[in-house]
Amino acid sequence: MTLRRPNFVRPALITACILLIPLVAMQFTQEVNWTFSDFVIMGALIFGTGLAFELLLSQGGSVTYRMGALLAVAAGFLSVWVNLAVGIIGSGPNPANLLLGAPFVVAIVGAMMVRLRASGLALAMLAAGLVQFLAPLVALLFWKPEFNLDVTRGLWGNLIFVALWLLSAWLFRQAAGPSRPAQSNAHAA
C-alpha cells in the first residue's frame, strides 16, 4: 500500500477557526484566559488530529475503515485533551498522568509500522486499548495517589477511551475482511 499525502490546508483552516473561539472570547470575558502556550499546545493537538484523519481518509477504503479511522483519531484526541485539561488520574498536575500518553504513542507507532493497513490497524488499536486500560492501573501502583472520588471517576472515565480504541480495532478488523483459514499440514493417508 502506497501512502498518499494528506491535505494540509483543511486541517490548518479548521485549527485556525477553532482557535479563534477562545481568542475572541478572551476579548469579552475574564473567564477565558489562555496563554500563548495554551494556543500552541491546542493548535498542535487539533492540527495533528486533523492531519491524522486526513491521512487515514486519503488511503481510501470502505466505510468501515473510515469509521475505524474516525474512532481511532477521536480516541487519541479525546484522551490527550482530557489528560491535558484535567488529568485522568486525579486532578491537577500528577506525574501518573504522563503514563496515559502511552496509548496515543502505541497507536501512532503501530499505525506507521503497519502502513495503515486495516488488518494491522486492528492490532495496533487493540494494543492501544490494552495500554489505555493498563496505564492507570500501573500509575496507581507506582505513584500511589490518594484514592479519592477524582481518581475513581478517572478510572471509570478511562474505560470510555478503552472502549473507543477497542471499537476502532473491531471496525478495522471488519474492514480487513474475512481471515483466511490456516492450511492444514495433514497428509493424505
Side-chain angles (χ1 to χ4, degrees), residues 89-90 136-137 140 144-153 155-156:
I89 302 294
L137 301 177
L140 287 172
K144 297 180 172 75
E146 179 184 332
F147 203 81
N148 56 25
L149 187 58
D150 282 341
V151 171
T152 304
R153 285 182 187 151
L155 291 173
W156 282 107

Side-chain angles (χ1 to χ4, degrees), residues 119-146:
S119 59
L121 284 170
L123 294 174
M125 298 311 121
L126 180 64
L130 180 63
V131 171
Q132 184 82 47
F133 179 76
L134 293 175
L137 301 177
V138 170
L140 287 172
L141 288 174
F142 285 102
W143 282 283
K144 297 180 172 75
E146 179 184 332

Side-chain angles (χ1 to χ4, degrees), residues 3-41:
L3 295 178
R4 297 183 190 108
R5 273 186 59 194
N7 180 2
F8 288 91
V9 175
R10 194 174 8 211
L13 288 174
I14 291 170
T15 300
C17 288
I18 291 173
L19 290 179
L20 277 174
I21 295 168
L23 183 64
V24 170
M26 286 174 53
Q27 309 310 310
F28 296 103
T29 180
Q30 298 295 322
E31 299 294 319
V32 180
N33 188 18
W34 281 30
T35 64
F36 179 74
S37 62
D38 291 331
F39 281 99
V40 170
I41 290 169

Side-chain angles (χ1 to χ4, degrees), residues 3 12 22 33-34 48-49 55 58 64 78 81-82 85 95 116 118 122 137 143 169:
L3 295 178
N33 188 18
W34 281 30
T49 299
L55 177 65
S58 72
T64 308
L78 292 172
W81 181 33
V82 167
L116 304 179
L137 301 177
W143 282 283

